[in-house]
Each structure stands twice: as C-alpha cells, then as structure tokens.
C-alpha cells in the first residue's frame, strides 16, 4: 500500500490519547498511537514527520515514571509534548520539573492563556484564549534554548518552544474541545512545523486499499460475516468493490433487528455482483431463546447460535482463502490495554476464525477511526442510513426486550422504536445524540383507553450523548418532542399504555438495559 506521511503519538497513558490521534487525522495527516516503550530503532524505521508525546497520570520526577529514550531528540524530527509529555521533554533536555509548591501553580480546567503568536505553534491565533489545563507539576527551570511562548496569570511557562530544533511543549491539552483554537495549534504543528502534505484522505485510502486487496487476494475466495453495522458494511463494500463476485457476504438475519433493517442492508448491497447470502434464522434464534430471561444467558445463546448458523453456511461455501473482519483502530489500540471488569460480555461478529476453514484474515479497516470508516463508506456510495447508523448491540433487540423474548414482544418493540427514531429525525435531533432507542420493559401497569381498563407494557425511551460509550449522559430531549413520541406510540402500537424516559447517566446505569 502507498506509504503516507506518518505522525507518531507516543502514549504515556493519558486519557485523551486517542483523541490526539483523531485530531491529527482530521487534518489529513496519518497518525498512529504507540507505547512510550517503542524502541528507538523502530521509531527511526517508521520515519515519522513529527512526534507527539501525550499526557499521562504520572509525575516525571517519580523514579518509575514512564519515559522514552532521550535519543528521540537526536533524530531531527519535530516533537510536541502535551502536559506530561511537555514536562518529560523539559526534564530529558536538562530542565527541572517539580511538584507545584503552592496551589497557584497547579492548574485545572478552563484557564485564560496568553500566547506569543510569533511562535509557529500559535501562528494565526488571537493573543489570548481559553485553554484546558490539568496539571499539578511545574517546570521550575525550562531547558536551555527554550523560549517561553505561553503563560497564564499563575504560570509563566504553560508553553515552551525551541524553534531552532523544532521542539514544542504545552502544559494544556490542545486536543480537547475546551481549548479554544486547539485544532489550529495542532494544524500549525503539522503544517508549519512538520511540513505535512496532507496526504491522508479517504478517497485515496479507498483507491490504495482496493489495489492492495486485489493484489493480495488474486483469484482467491473471500468470506465476510455482515452484521449490518457500519464497520462490517463498509468492509463489505470495500471488498465488493475490490474483488466483486469472489466475495461471499453472509448476513445472518436473526430476527432481532430493528424495523426494516434486514431489507435495507440487502438493498444497499444489491448494486454489487457479489454472492449475498441472507440467512433467515429468526425461528432458530427464537426457539433457542424461548423462556430465557437472564441477560447474560441471552447473550451467550445468541453468540453461540450465530456461530452455528455461520458454520452451516460456511460449510455450504466450502474452503475460502480469506476471512474479512471489520476491526477498527480503537479496537486495536484498546486490545493492547485493560483488564477491566466484565460488565457485559459483548458479542461481536468477530471471533469466528475457529469455526471456518480459511487461510488468512483481512482487516481492511484496522487503521481507521469510526468517523473515517463512515467517510470511507460515503466514498463507496453506501447509503447515508447505513453509514450513519448508530451502534447496535450484536444481540440486537433481544437485550432490549427485558425478560423473556417472544416474536410478539419484538414486533411491539420494533414499531415503538421506529416511531421514536422517526420523530427524532423529524425534529432534527438525530445528530444531537450518539445513541437512542426504545426498551420494552417487563413491567405492566394499569391504564385507561377509551372507556376501558388496560393492563399493558411500559416502554422506556433511552437517549444518550457520549464520546466513548464508556461514560454517557442522558440526552435532554425537549418535552414537546417526548410528548409527540409518547402520543404516537400509545396510539399506533398495541400493548403499550405507559412510556417513561430514562434519565440516568452511565455510570451508574449502562446505556443498554441488559
Ligand atoms: P453499555 O450498555 O455497556 O453499552 O453501556 C455500551 C455500548 O456498547 C453497545 N453494546 C454492545 N455492542 N455487543 C455489541 O456489539 C453487545 O453485546 C453490546 N452490548 C452493548 C451499546 O449499544 C452501547 O453502544
């Protein structure tokens, strides 16, 4: 594949590290996150045009704090240190970092900051603005050769630069939206300091990866498990474009999808001459799920049944050469870390290799962030409803019908969920939430409709805003919109006589109810 210019983000454990990488890519510069432990030889071989040191939770003067080789500064590559990264750079180059002696030098939150706009990093910026601070250490002495190019009322050196050598450090976080003009600072680093060409676009990525896939696959057979989610759909479209009818897409319709979703997915792929297999497995799944109400048991059954169905189809197809997976970059970064407690066992379409006879895996989205995957989908002319599809759990509506599952309950939920989404779209609120859906609770209550008593289900509506899905806030949907949704659902969908809106954040709740 054609080599793009690379910016390396050296990860020192900060919470915004993925965000830095995304921000860089938003400026059309390819960038990768790697551990601070990456050996110097590897860094040299990667030949990045610039290196960014991230923030991190440690203090550089602690004995076991994470540090990189000092040789980095001898590579002739510009470096931008952010927060911990800035302090580490200062220390490695002969400065001195201490704990802030009094509260005044410890800064947190939105802070009025003053910039030397003659410095390349701050070119084109107003001379003052808000920056987002989160540091309790202080650069008591900056290294020789560095000028002070930013200050606050409390701290004389929140930004330092040795422009001759191309080294820059900021104690605040330019990658966070709260920092005014933070995006421009990063852009300046890339274009004014690292001389980036801006050669990372999804159009280019599409063309180069299609070529690379063709070369790799030759006349081999390719198999892909299509879930209907954004990632697997875009991966399928890319492969379809690259190898046409050498591709078989198996789309397991487990009957747990939202209204019309299965047909939409099928329609989106009808323009390619691929082997599209839609397996109607609704009965198989519902039979297995009958009477099961425990959430983890549902997930397990669905995960296993999925593999069984896929296995049956794979057997019909026979030996394939390549199996495609829709792994994306955040999965790659995150799989390196974390042994956090399992709250829910997420079922994804991954994990199939054991069950299918194949030679190699292709992961064509492995380098991409979600917004890049969506953009690639657009480049491949996938319809907007697929490209912008919100996350949908692998077990589908099975974990949005609380308690035991029946086809009738699923149909009720499908209709209600459709009306919810329809009204949100009509109100123009779709882009204000990251995920929104309906949940059929297992609770029934008394109501009155016409002249009669009803005893029917309570439907819960859930809408959240989030950047990472690990924490989330409940969305403030206007009351009048909630009212329209409620009236329509109760009138148009049978068996629901009460509607509630979920006003818990995550934590303590999770986004899904099961
Ligand atoms: P929770 O409910 O854990 O959800 O706050 C966080 C995000 O993950 C999605 N989710 C799943 N996705 N398989 C998936 O692929 C699953 O089993 C699963 N469970 C939850 C959920 O929709 C939300 O976006």
């Amino acid at each position: 594949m054609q080599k793009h210019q690379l910016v390396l983000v050296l990860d020192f454990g900060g919470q915004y590290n993925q965000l830095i990488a995304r921000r860089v890519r938003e400026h059309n510069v390819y960038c990768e996150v790697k551990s601070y432990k990456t050996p110097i030889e590897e860094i040299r071989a990667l030949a990045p045009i610039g290196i960014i040191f991230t923030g991190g939770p440690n203090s550089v003067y602690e004995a076991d704090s994470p540090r990189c080789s000092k040789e980095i500064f001898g590579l002739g590559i510009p470096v931008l240190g952010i927060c911990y990264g800035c302090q580490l750079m200062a220390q490695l180059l002969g400065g001195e970092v201490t704990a802030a002696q009094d509260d005044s030098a410890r800064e947190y939150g939105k802070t009025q900051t003053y910039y030397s706009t003659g410095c390349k990093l701050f070119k084109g910026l107003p001379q003052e603005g808000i920056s987002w601070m989160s540091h309790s250490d202080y650069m008591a002495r900056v290294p020789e050769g560095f000028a002070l190019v930013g200050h606050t009322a409390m701290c004389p050196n929140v930004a330092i630069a040795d422009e001759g050598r191309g080294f820059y450090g900021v104690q605040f976080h330019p990658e966070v939206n709260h920092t005014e003009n933070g995006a421009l600072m990063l852009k300046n680093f890339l274009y004014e300091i690292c001389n980036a060409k801006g050669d990372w676009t999804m159009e280019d990525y599409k063309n180069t990866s299609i070529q690379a896939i063709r070369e790799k696959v030759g006349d081999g057979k390719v198999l892909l498990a299509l879930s209907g989610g954004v990632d697997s759909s875009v991966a399928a479209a890319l492969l379809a474009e690259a190898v046409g009818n050498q591709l078989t897409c198996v789309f397991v319709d487990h009957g747990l999808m939202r209204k019309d979703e299965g047909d939409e997915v099928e329609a989106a792929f009808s323009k390619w001459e691929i082997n599209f297999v839609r397996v109607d497995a609704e009965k198989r799944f519902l039979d297995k799920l009958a009477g099961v109400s425990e959430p983890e048991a549902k997930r397990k059954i669905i995960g296993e049944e999925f593999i069984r169905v896929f296995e049956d189809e794979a057997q019909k197809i026979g030996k394939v050469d390549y199996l495609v997976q829709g792994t994306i970059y955040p999965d790659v970064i995150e799989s390196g870390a974390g042994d956090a407690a399992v709250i829910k066992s997420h079922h994804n379409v991954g994990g199939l290799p054991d069950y299918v006879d194949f030679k190699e895996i292709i992961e064509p989205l492995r380098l991409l962030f979600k917004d890049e995957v969506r953009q690639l989908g657009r480049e491949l002319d996938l319809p907007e409803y697929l490209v912008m599809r919100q996350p949908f759990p692998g077990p589908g509506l099975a974990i949005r019908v609380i308690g035991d599952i029946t086809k009738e309950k699923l149909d009720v939920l499908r209709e209600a969920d459709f009306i919810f989404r329809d009204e949100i779209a009509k109100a123009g609120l779709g882009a204000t939430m990251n995920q929104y859906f309906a949940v059929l609770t297992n609770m029934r209550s008394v109501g009155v409709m016409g002249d009669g008593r009803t005893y029917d289900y309570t439907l819960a509506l859930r809408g959240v805003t989030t950047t990472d899905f690990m924490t989330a806030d409940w969305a403030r949907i206007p009351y009048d919109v909630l009212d329209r949704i409620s009236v329509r659902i109760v009138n148009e969908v049978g068996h629901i006589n009460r509607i509630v809106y979920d006003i818990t954040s995550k934590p303590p709740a999770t986004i899904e109810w099961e």
Side-chain angles (χ1 to χ4, degrees):
M1 202 180 291
Q2 179 195 320
K3 187 129 176 48
H4 298 94
Q5 288 186 325
L6 167 76
V7 164
L8 188 62
V9 175
L10 269 201
D11 183 353
F12 289 93
Q15 46 178 326
Y16 305 122
N17 299 350
Q18 274 206 31
L19 202 52
I20 299 174
R22 275 174 58 181
R23 293 280 176 265
V24 171
R25 294 209 192 164
E26 279 163 18
H27 291 300
N28 299 117
V29 180
Y30 179 61
C31 133
E32 281 188 25
V33 182
K34 292 207 179 275
S35 160
Y36 70 92
K37 294 178 190 153
T38 308
I40 186 77
E41 300 75 38
E42 191 179 331
I43 296 177
R44 196 178 283 120
L46 287 168
I49 59 165
I51 300 175
I52 299 178
F53 292 180
T54 74
N58 301 73
S59 288
V60 296
Y61 45 80
E62 289 162 2
D64 52 355
S65 60
R67 50 191 63 227
C68 56
S69 161
K70 210 174 142 177
E71 286 179 60
I72 281 192
F73 301 103
L75 297 175
I77 299 170
V79 178
L80 170 64
I82 295 176
C83 199
Y84 177 86
C86 171
Q87 292 152 7
L88 180 69
M89 177 163 70
Q91 202 202 44
L92 289 175
L93 291 174
E96 192 187 338
V97 180
T98 59
Q101 289 307 317
D102 59 276
D103 280 349
S104 58
R106 190 174 295 139
E107 295 179 293
Y108 186 81
K110 292 182 178 176
T111 312
Q112 191 69 19
T113 308
Y114 303 87
Y115 307 105
S116 304
T117 51
C119 171
K120 282 186 193 161
L121 192 63
F122 303 127
K123 189 177 159 188
L125 256 76
Q127 283 177 331
E128 59 181 280
I130 298 289
S131 75
W132 179 258
M133 297 281 182
S134 168
H135 67 103
S136 54
D137 290 335
Y138 174 68
M139 287 187 285
R141 193 180 72 245
V142 303
E144 215 169 293
F146 277 78
L148 310 186
V149 292
H151 67 274
T152 62
M154 299 303 174
C155 182
N157 55 17
V158 294
I160 57 172
D162 179 340
E163 301 223 68
R165 290 193 285 172
F167 301 151
Y168 296 79
V170 291
Q171 303 241 45
F172 54 84
H173 289 271
E175 71 278 18
V176 172
N177 277 335
H178 302 312
T179 296
E180 289 171 356
N181 293 303
L184 182 54
M185 296 175 202
L186 289 174
K187 186 175 180 194
N188 281 342
F189 178 68
L190 300 169
Y191 287 88
E192 299 293 325
I193 297 163
C194 302
N195 297 318
K197 291 189 291 205
D199 59 6
W200 177 249
T201 64
M202 282 306 108
E203 186 192 359
D204 186 38
Y205 182 84
K206 179 185 91 173
N207 295 331
T208 51
S209 40
I210 285 175
Q211 210 180 334
I213 291 167
R214 282 185 186 147
E215 276 165 26
K216 180 176 192 131
V217 168
D219 55 8
K221 272 167 96 177
V222 184
L223 178 63
L224 183 146
L226 186 64
S227 72
V230 180
D231 302 342
S232 72
S233 297
V234 174
L238 191 64
L239 265 295
E241 199 71 35
V243 299
N245 63 10
Q246 288 161 256
L247 171 70
T248 301
C249 282
V250 175
F251 173 42
V252 177
D253 187 346
H254 50 23
L256 303 166
M257 264 171 278
R258 287 167 293 196
K259 187 176 174 182
D260 297 336
E261 205 160 38
D263 295 341
E264 284 173 4
V265 173
E266 190 168 353
F269 285 91
S270 60
K271 67 174 173 158
W272 283 287
E273 298 261 314
I274 55 174
N275 309 307
F276 190 94
V277 182
R278 178 171 174 178
V279 191
D280 179 1
E282 182 183 45
K283 189 165 177 332
R284 263 179 89 155
F285 278 86
L286 293 191
D287 285 352
K288 279 267 156 51
L289 287 166
V292 179
S293 55
E294 208 280 310
E296 281 300 300
K298 289 183 189 175
R299 281 168 194 272
K300 207 156 170 275
I301 290 171
I302 294 167
E304 273 168 17
E305 195 57 19
F306 194 93
I307 290 165
R308 294 286 94 77
V309 174
F310 196 81
E311 207 175 24
D312 290 352
E313 290 309 312
Q315 248 161 31
K316 290 183 204 157
I317 296 161
K319 185 164 169 47
V320 296
D321 301 287
Y322 298 94
L323 186 75
V324 184
Q325 294 201 303
T327 321
I328 70 171
Y329 196 49
D331 308 333
V332 176
I333 303 180
E334 267 156 30
S335 62
D339 46 0
V342 176
I343 309 291
K344 301 176 187 184
S345 56
H346 282 201
H347 149 86
N348 279 320
V349 190
L352 293 168
D354 290 356
Y355 305 90
V356 185
D357 191 9
F358 69 100
K359 203 165 74 187
E360 210 180 314
I361 290 182
I362 301 181
E363 294 178 309
L365 313 179
R366 204 181 153 78
L367 300 177
L368 306 185
F369 284 110
K370 195 76 173 192
D371 40 351
E372 294 175 313
V373 174
R374 295 192 205 276
Q375 188 51 36
L376 179 61
R378 290 192 186 100
E379 296 289 344
L380 290 157
D381 286 330
L382 278 178
E384 201 59 19
Y385 61 74
L386 253 191
V387 168
M388 286 314 290
R389 188 155 274 176
Q390 36 175 314
F392 186 62
L397 299 182
I399 57 165
R400 293 182 182 168
V401 169
I402 310 304
D404 71 314
I405 301 163
T406 62
K407 173 142 170 57
E408 292 66 37
K409 287 183 186 174
L410 286 167
D411 286 339
V412 166
L413 177 59
R414 258 189 282 266
E415 285 306 316
D417 182 72
F418 176 78
I419 293 171
F420 183 22
R421 288 187 289 132
D422 188 43
E423 285 298 326
I424 292 294
K426 283 183 181 147
L429 293 173
T432 64
M433 286 180 278
N434 301 95
Q435 202 172 358
Y436 51 97
F437 52 87
V439 175
L440 189 68
T441 76
N442 209 12
M443 196 194 83
R444 291 199 291 167
S445 69
V446 175
V448 53
M449 223 172 171
D451 292 326
R453 175 188 190 272
T454 59
Y455 186 60
D456 273 328
Y457 287 106
T458 297
L459 184 88
L461 303 175
R462 179 83 162 137
V464 296
T465 56
T466 172
T467 49
D468 54 11
F469 295 89
M470 293 192 280
T471 60
D473 195 10
W474 59 277
R476 273 45 168 187
I477 300 176
Y479 284 171
D480 56 337
V481 179
L482 285 173
D483 184 50
R484 277 202 295 280
I485 296 164
S486 166
V487 170
R488 262 192 77 187
I489 292 176
V490 173
N491 280 310
E492 295 176 31
V493 186
H495 304 295
I496 294 173
N497 67 354
R498 194 176 294 270
I499 296 185
V500 296
Y501 186 54
D502 182 345
I503 53 165
T504 33
S505 296
K506 172 184 180 179
T510 53
I511 296 174
E512 304 285 350
W513 277 38
E514 286 196 336

